[in-house]
Amino acid sequence: MRPSLAERIYGALLRLLPRDFRDAYGTDASELFRDLYSRARDEGGQAAALRVWLRSVGRLLVCAVDERIDGLRWPDRQDAARQGAVSRGPRRRRRGGDVMGGVIQDLRHALRAFRRRPGFTLTAVAILAIGIGATTTIFSVVDTVLLRSLPYPEAERLVYVDNGSHSYLDFREWEEGMSGFEVMGGVWNEEVSVTGDGQPEKLWGGQVTRDFFQVLGVRPQLGRLFLRDDHVGDAAVVVLSHGLWTRKWGSDASIIGRRVTVNGQPMVVAGVVSPDFRPAELLHRGGAVDLWLPLDLADPDYQSRGWHVLNVVARLSAGTTVPAAQAELDAILDQAVAASPDSYLDRNGEFEGFPLIPLHEASVRQVSSTLLMLMGAVGLMLLIACANVANLMLARGMARARELAVRGALGASRRRIVGQLLTESVALALGGGLAGILLAFAGVRAFSHFDPGGIPRLQELSVDPRVLGFAVLASVATGVLFGILPALQATRKDASDALKDGAASVTASRKGRRLRSLLVVSEMALALVLLVGAGLLFRSLTERLQVDPGFRTQQLVTMKLNLGPTYEEEERVRFTQDLMERVAGLPGVRSVAAGATLPFEMSGRGRCCWRTTVTPLGDGGEEIRSIVHPVTQDYFHTLGADVAFGREFTRADQVADPSVAILNRATSLRLFGDENGVGRELEMANTTLTVVGVVDGVHHWGLDQDVESAVYVPHQRFAGEFDMMSLAVRSETDLGTLVPALREAVWALQPDQPVSGITSMRQLVSSSVAAPRFLSVLLGTFAAVALLLACGGIYSSMLYSVGQRRRELGIRIALGAERSDVAGLVLRQGLKLTVAGIALGVLGALAVSKLLESLVWGVTATDPLTFTGVAGLLAIVAVLACWAPARRAATADPLESLRAE
C-alpha cells in the first residue's frame, strides 16, 4: 500500500536524526507512527489523525535537536555507537522522563524571561505573527485550491476534454465509441430568465446531458434528478440548486412539482440538488449555476458540428489511464477530421486536438502559478521575519552572556543551555504563531471578500485543522530556524572571559558581528526580491490602465438584456427600437444605442460571439475570420469612438438593401491592403456588404487584449443571430437616479423582462483589471511589510552596534574626531550592508524573473527601470534607518561613554 502524505512527511523528518540513531530506531519509529496514525484515522477521523501527527512530529523534532546537541557534546559516544560498543536504547529509556522534565523546566524559565523583557517579547511576537499569519492565510488558499482533491467521488478518475467547447455530435460519437470512459457528461451554460414568483430575475442555467450528474456523483436533496426521457421533446422539467431554493423559496419542501417560468416557458420543478454539490468553475465559467435544464437532444441546432457549446467531463473506466483514453479519443477524432475537416481545422489548416486533462489540474492551471508565487512571497517575508528575530536574539544573547556563563560555571552543559535557548525560541515562535492564526482568520475572510475572480473554490476557504496544523508546524520550524544560530553563538564564548568584567563590558565577537551582518544582508536581499516582484506587477497594471480603450468611458452606462428564444426576430427588433426611444426621452440622456455585446462586458459565455469568414471583393487583401458586431444607429457616437473614414450607421442603414458595414482599421488593412476601405465591398455569410465607414480600434475584450478584426453590421438586419442585447446610454444623470429609470423603461414595454447588469463603463473597465490589481496590491503589501522588517533589522543592528562600540566611539571623539566623521562611520557601515544586500537581491530577482513572465504585461520581467527604482528606494530607506543610530553615536558624551565602560 502506498504510504500516506503524513507518513511520507514523517519519514522525511526522520532524516533530521543522527545516522546511527536513525539506523537503530528509524524503522521502529516509522512502524509505530504508521500504526498510531492509521488507528487514529480509522477511529477518530482526520481530526484525531492530525493530533497524532502533530504530537509525533513535535516529539521527533525535540528528539532530533536533543540528539544533535548531544552529539556535539559527546562525539565519542556517537563513534562508539557506530562501532556497536554503546547501546543507546537503555540510555534513552532512562533519560525519557528527564528530557520531558527538562523541557518543562526550560519552558517555565522562558516564560519568566519573557515577563522580565516585555518589550522584546512583544516585538518578536508581533514580527512573527505578521510572517506566520500571512503565510498561513496564503497556505489556506493554496491548500483549498491546489492541494485538496475535488469534492466528487473518486475525483482522480475525472478528466476534462480541453481546447474549448464541443459540438453535441462530437460528444455523441465519443459517448458511443469510447470504452475508456465509464460515463460522460456535457453542460452548456447561459443566462436564463425566471419569472412568475416576485420580480423577474436573470440567472445562470446549465443545460446538461443525460449522465452529467452521474459523472460527478450528484445526489438530490429533494425530489429527483433528470431521467433519460427528460432529454427528448418538451419534458419541461427543471432541477434547482440548493442556494436558489433557499434564497428564492425559503427552503420550502413543497417546491417539488410546482411550476416556474424559465425563458417564458412553464416548467415543473423535479428536484433540488444536495447543498454540497458545486460544479467545478471550469464547467460553468460564469456565476454560480442556479438551476439545471435537460439538454433537448432533438433541437436542430445540436445537429451541427459547428455548434460548439458543450463543456465535457468524463469518468475514466476502472484501470484506464489518461494516455490510453487519449489515444482512443485521438483515433475517433482522426476519422471525424477526415470526414469533416472544415469543422476542426483552423485557418492555417491545422487541428490542435482535444487533450484530456485531469479535472482538478484543468480547474487550477490558470491560477496555480499565481498562487505558488504568492506562497513564495509570504515565504520570503517569513524568512525576513526570522532573520529579524534572530538578530534580536543575538543581541539578547550577548546581553545574557554573564548569565549563561554563570550557568556553565555551575555545571550546566552546553547542550543543556542550547536546549534552554531553543525552548525559549520555540515558545516565542508559538506565541507568534497563535497571534498569526488569529490574523489568518481575518486574512481568509478578507481574501474571500476581495475575491479577484478566476480563483476556484474560494467559497470553501477556511482555517480548518489542516491549516492549523500547518501553522503550528511552521511556528515550530520558525522557532528552530531563528533560534539555533543565536543559541550556538551565545554558548560559544569562554566562561572565564564572560565573567571577568561583567556583562556590561562584554563586547561582541568578530563572529557575532559577522553573523548579525549576514542576517541584515539577507533581509535586505529578500526584501529587494519582493519589492522587484511588486514593482513589476505595479508597472504592468499601470501599463494596462494607460491603454486607450478606443472610446470615452465617462458618463457611459450599460445595461444587458436577454430577450430569450421566446422572442421572434421582428419582436426583438421592435423591442430594441422602442426601448431606445423610451430611454432617449429620459432626463439627462444625451444619446443611446444598442449592440449584441458592448466592450468590456466579458460576456464570452453562451452565444456571445459571431465569428465568420470575411472575403474581400475586388483586388488586394486576404480572406480573414472576423468577429461580427450587430449594432444600431448612433452606436459609435454614443460610445465616443472616433470614425476615421466615412460615416457611421443611420436609421436608414438598418433596413438598407444591399446592406452596409463598418470596419476597424486593422480589418480594412487586412481585407483591402488599405486602412481606408470606404466604398469597397466584402462578402460575409453569403451576403454582400458595402463599407461605409472605418473606425479606430476598440479594445472589446480587455485593455490587455489586442484589437481584433471586427465587422460592424446593422443590428436590425442581423438581430436574429443573438438572444442578448446590450444598451449603451450616455447620460449626465447620476447612476443612482438613472438605474431605476432604466428598469421602469424596460418593464413598461415588457413586465416579465429581467433587468440586470446596469453599470457604468468605468466600472466595467475597472473590473477588467480586478485580478491584476488585486495581485499587485497584495504583493505590494507583502513587499512593504518586508521593507519595514528589513529596515527595522538594519536599524536595530546598527543601534546595537553603536551601543557595543560606545567606548571606541567615545575615545575617537575625545581624541578630536569630528562628530560628523563618527556619524559617517556608522552610516558607511550601514551602507556597506545595504549595498551587499542590494547586490544579492538583484541577483535573486533576476533568478526568479522567469516566474513572473506570465504575470506581467507591457513590461519585461527584467525591466531596468523597476530594478533601478526598487534598489534606489531600498537604499534611501536603509540610509534613513541608519540615521538615528548614527546621530546617537555622534551626539554621545565621550565622558559618559567612558564612564559607562
Side-chain angles (χ1 to χ4, degrees):
M1 180 181 296
R2 183 181 180 184
S4 65
L5 177 62
E7 294 173 18
R8 294 198 298 273
I9 294 177
Y10 187 84
L13 291 176
L14 281 174
R15 301 187 67 83
L16 296 175
L17 293 166
R19 180 185 297 275
D20 61 297
F21 190 82
R22 188 170 68 246
D23 292 343
Y25 305 107
T27 303
D28 294 339
S30 295
E31 293 178 355
L32 178 61
F33 171 76
R34 186 182 305 112
D35 293 341
L36 292 174
Y37 183 81
S38 301
R39 188 181 306 120
R41 183 178 54 193
D42 295 339
E43 297 176 358
Q46 289 296 334
L50 178 62
R51 288 193 295 269
V52 169
W53 186 81
L54 290 175
R55 185 164 59 247
S56 301
V57 168
R59 291 175 177 173
L60 174 60
L61 292 175
V62 171
C63 181
V65 172
D66 188 43
E67 287 295 324
R68 292 289 184 182
I69 295 174
D70 193 44
L72 293 176
R73 181 167 175 81
W74 307 104
D76 57 320
R77 190 182 298 274
Q78 286 191 355
D79 294 338
R82 292 191 188 99
Q83 299 170 10
V86 177
S87 174
R88 305 188 59 139
R91 184 175 66 87
R92 295 303 304 170
R93 285 194 293 272
R94 289 195 301 270
R95 291 179 53 203
D98 295 339
V99 169
M100 184 55 66
V103 169
I104 295 175
Q105 182 181 359
D106 289 345
L107 184 59
R108 289 174 178 171
H109 186 276
L111 295 178
R112 290 196 298 269
F114 295 155
R115 285 197 298 268
R116 290 196 300 268
R117 299 288 299 274
F120 164 82
T121 303
L122 292 177
T123 300
V125 167
I127 291 173
L128 293 172
I130 293 173
I132 295 174
T135 304
T136 303
T137 298
I138 300 303
F139 174 78
S140 67
V141 181
V142 171
D143 179 57
T144 299
V145 178
L146 300 184
L147 302 182
R148 293 184 190 174
S149 60
L150 293 174
Y152 311 124
E154 297 182 286
E156 67 279 0
R157 291 170 57 191
L158 296 177
V159 293
Y160 177 71
V161 185
D162 200 20
N163 202 7
S165 54
H166 311 281
S167 70
Y168 173 69
L169 290 183
D170 282 331
F171 175 87
R172 188 174 64 191
E173 290 178 359
W174 303 339
E175 192 175 36
E176 294 173 353
M178 287 286 298
S179 61
F181 291 162
E182 180 179 291
V183 63
M184 289 179 60
V187 57
W188 172 26
N189 302 282
E190 65 174 352
E191 290 179 311
V192 297
S193 302
V194 177
T195 56
D197 284 332
Q199 200 174 79
E201 289 188 79
K202 185 185 294 183
L203 304 173
W204 275 105
Q207 298 187 49
V208 299
T209 59
R210 291 169 175 167
D211 297 321
F212 177 78
F213 288 131
Q214 181 182 347
V215 173
L216 300 179
V218 184
R219 296 284 183 258
Q221 170 87 1
L222 290 176
R224 64 172 179 85
L225 302 179
F226 296 129
L227 305 175
R228 299 189 72 83
D229 292 341
D230 293 333
H231 294 269
V232 180
D234 299 326
V237 293
V238 62
V239 171
L240 306 179
S241 72
H242 189 274
L244 178 64
W245 173 55
T246 302
R247 175 179 61 81
K248 192 172 181 66
W249 287 283
S251 301
D252 183 4
S254 64
I255 189 66
I256 304 301
R258 189 183 303 180
R259 291 185 177 273
V260 298
T261 303
V262 181
N263 284 341
Q265 180 183 2
M267 293 190 173
V268 177
V269 177
V272 177
V273 299
S274 59
D276 58 348
F277 171 59
R278 296 185 181 93
E281 283 83 347
L282 184 72
L283 298 176
H284 61 79
R285 291 194 178 99
V289 178
D290 300 296
L291 52 88
W292 283 269
L293 307 168
L295 195 70
D296 183 4
L297 305 182
D299 190 322
D301 286 338
Y302 300 141
Q303 313 313 312
S304 169
R305 289 195 186 273
W307 193 249
H308 296 166
V309 293
L310 290 180
N311 291 308
V312 178
V313 61
R315 182 176 294 275
L316 295 175
S317 302
T320 301
T321 63
V322 173
Q326 182 71 68
E328 189 177 6
L329 177 62
D330 290 343
I332 297 176
L333 285 173
D334 289 341
Q335 298 178 8
V337 172
S340 180
D342 292 340
S343 301
Y344 299 94
L345 302 182
D346 59 21
R347 60 190 302 266
N348 297 319
E350 299 177 352
F351 174 51
E352 297 180 358
F354 296 147
L356 291 180
I357 303 176
L359 183 59
H360 182 268
E361 178 184 333
S363 299
V364 303
R365 61 183 171 182
Q366 298 295 330
V367 299
S368 59
S369 59
T370 299
L371 294 182
L372 292 177
M373 185 272 292
L374 287 177
M375 195 66 199
V378 293
L380 292 179
M381 192 170 72
L382 183 57
L383 286 177
I384 294 173
C386 288
N388 215 311
V389 177
N391 230 327
L392 295 177
M393 296 291 288
L394 275 173
R396 185 167 178 262
M398 294 300 175
R400 297 175 64 187
R402 181 179 178 82
E403 171 199 340
L404 300 178
V406 169
R407 289 177 178 273
L410 293 177
S413 65
R414 187 186 184 197
R415 178 192 63 80
R416 186 70 180 83
I417 296 175
V418 169
Q420 174 194 320
L421 296 179
L422 275 180
T423 301
E424 293 181 13
S425 300
V426 173
L428 199 64
L430 288 174
L434 179 60
I437 289 172
L438 298 179
L439 291 178
F441 277 100
V444 165
R445 286 196 296 270
F447 201 100
S448 300
H449 178 72
F450 297 104
D451 178 9
I455 299 181
R457 305 176 68 184
L458 275 190
Q459 69 278 2
E460 302 174 29
L461 192 60
S462 64
V463 182
D464 60 9
R466 286 164 58 104
V467 177
L468 291 176
F470 169 83
V472 172
L473 186 60
S475 300
V476 173
T478 298
V480 174
L481 181 63
F482 74 72
I484 188 65
L485 288 179
L488 295 176
Q489 180 67 29
T491 57
R492 187 174 287 131
K493 296 189 64 64
D494 187 88
S496 60
D497 292 339
L499 292 171
K500 283 179 181 178
D501 300 315
S505 65
V506 177
T507 58
S509 66
R510 178 175 299 179
K511 289 185 178 180
R513 289 196 299 270
R514 286 179 178 176
L515 183 56
R516 287 199 307 276
S517 298
L518 178 61
L519 290 173
V520 170
V521 169
S522 301
E523 290 183 63
M524 303 297 281
L526 294 174
L528 187 133
V529 173
L530 273 179
L531 285 169
V532 166
L536 288 172
L537 292 180
F538 179 76
R539 285 263 291 141
S540 177
L541 178 63
T542 302
E543 291 294 324
R544 281 185 172 95
L545 295 177
Q546 289 178 347
V547 173
D548 181 5
F551 57 93
R552 296 191 302 275
T553 61
Q554 300 87 345
Q555 298 181 324
L556 187 61
V557 176
T558 69
M559 177 174 65
K560 295 169 60 178
L561 297 174
N562 189 344
L563 303 184
T566 57
Y567 283 77
E568 298 294 336
E569 182 174 344
E570 293 182 0
E571 292 176 320
R572 295 177 191 173
V573 172
R574 184 167 57 252
F575 177 85
T576 302
Q577 293 297 330
D578 292 345
L579 180 60
M580 289 173 57
E581 291 177 4
R582 281 184 173 272
V583 173
L586 295 176
V589 173
R590 296 189 304 181
S591 63
V592 60
T597 61
L598 294 179
F600 291 88
E601 278 187 339
M602 304 302 175
S603 52
R605 301 177 292 267
R607 287 180 282 185
C608 75
C609 313
W610 178 15
R611 298 178 187 272
T612 189
T613 301
V614 181
T615 305
L617 300 181
D619 299 330
E622 60 175 314
E623 180 181 274
I624 64 173
R625 283 191 67 82
S626 175
I627 188 170
V628 182
H629 297 287
V631 299
T632 65
Q633 66 275 11
D634 297 327
Y635 178 80
F636 299 104
H637 171 68
T638 302
L639 286 184
D642 295 328
V643 179
F645 306 102
R647 61 175 177 83
E648 71 170 304
F649 295 136
T650 64
R651 181 66 180 269
D653 290 327
Q654 298 294 324
V655 294
D657 193 14
S659 191
V660 294
I662 295 176
L663 313 178
N664 60 15
R665 287 178 181 264
T667 307
S668 179
L669 184 62
R670 291 185 61 188
L671 282 175
F672 308 117
D674 185 357
E675 288 187 345
N676 185 1
V678 174
R680 303 290 294 271
E681 291 184 332
L682 57 89
E683 185 177 0
M684 182 196 75
N686 299 319
T687 302
T688 299
L689 305 176
T690 301
V691 179
V692 297
V694 176
V695 298
D696 291 332
V698 173
H699 290 266
H700 199 86
W701 305 114
L703 295 174
D704 56 352
Q705 302 295 317
D706 295 333
V707 176
E708 62 180 335
S709 297
V711 177
Y712 299 88
V713 296
H715 181 271
Q716 188 164 334
R717 287 182 59 85
F718 296 94
E721 299 292 335
F722 296 88
D723 290 345
M724 73 281 294
M725 181 268 287
S726 297
L727 210 66
V729 182
R730 187 164 293 279
S731 173
E732 299 173 351
T733 308
D734 66 273
L735 194 61
T737 303
L738 185 60
V739 168
L742 290 175
R743 288 199 180 104
E744 291 300 325
V746 174
W747 291 336
L749 294 173
Q750 179 51 264
D752 290 336
Q753 174 63 48
V755 180
S756 65
I758 302 179
T759 185
S760 69
M761 184 58 74
R762 279 181 174 271
Q763 290 175 326
L764 285 179
V765 174
S766 177
S767 298
S768 72
V769 294
R773 181 172 57 240
F774 176 85
L775 187 59
S776 177
V777 171
L778 189 61
L779 191 60
T781 302
F782 294 156
V785 172
L787 177 63
L788 292 176
L789 290 177
C791 291
I794 194 171
Y795 167 80
S796 60
S797 179
M798 298 307 300
L799 195 63
Y800 178 77
S801 177
V802 168
Q804 291 292 309
R805 299 174 64 185
R806 280 181 302 174
R807 182 180 180 85
E808 173 198 341
L809 297 177
I811 292 175
R812 286 176 180 269
I813 296 175
L815 293 177
E818 295 291 338
R819 294 185 181 273
S820 59
D821 294 335
V822 174
L825 180 67
V826 177
L827 285 175
R828 283 194 297 273
Q829 182 182 352
L831 279 176
K832 288 180 181 178
L833 300 179
T834 301
V835 171
I838 289 175
L840 287 177
V842 168
L843 295 177
L846 289 173
V848 302
S849 61
K850 288 286 185 182
L851 302 177
L852 293 173
E853 286 183 348
S854 62
L855 300 176
V856 297
W857 183 88
V859 296
T860 63
T862 56
D863 178 45
L865 181 61
T866 301
F867 275 72
T868 304
V870 165
L873 173 65
L874 189 59
I876 292 172
V877 176
V879 169
L880 294 177
C882 294
W883 177 251
R887 186 174 180 274
R888 179 177 178 178
T891 57
D893 188 337
L895 294 180
E896 291 184 1
S897 300
L898 294 174
R899 190 178 300 116
E901 293 293 333

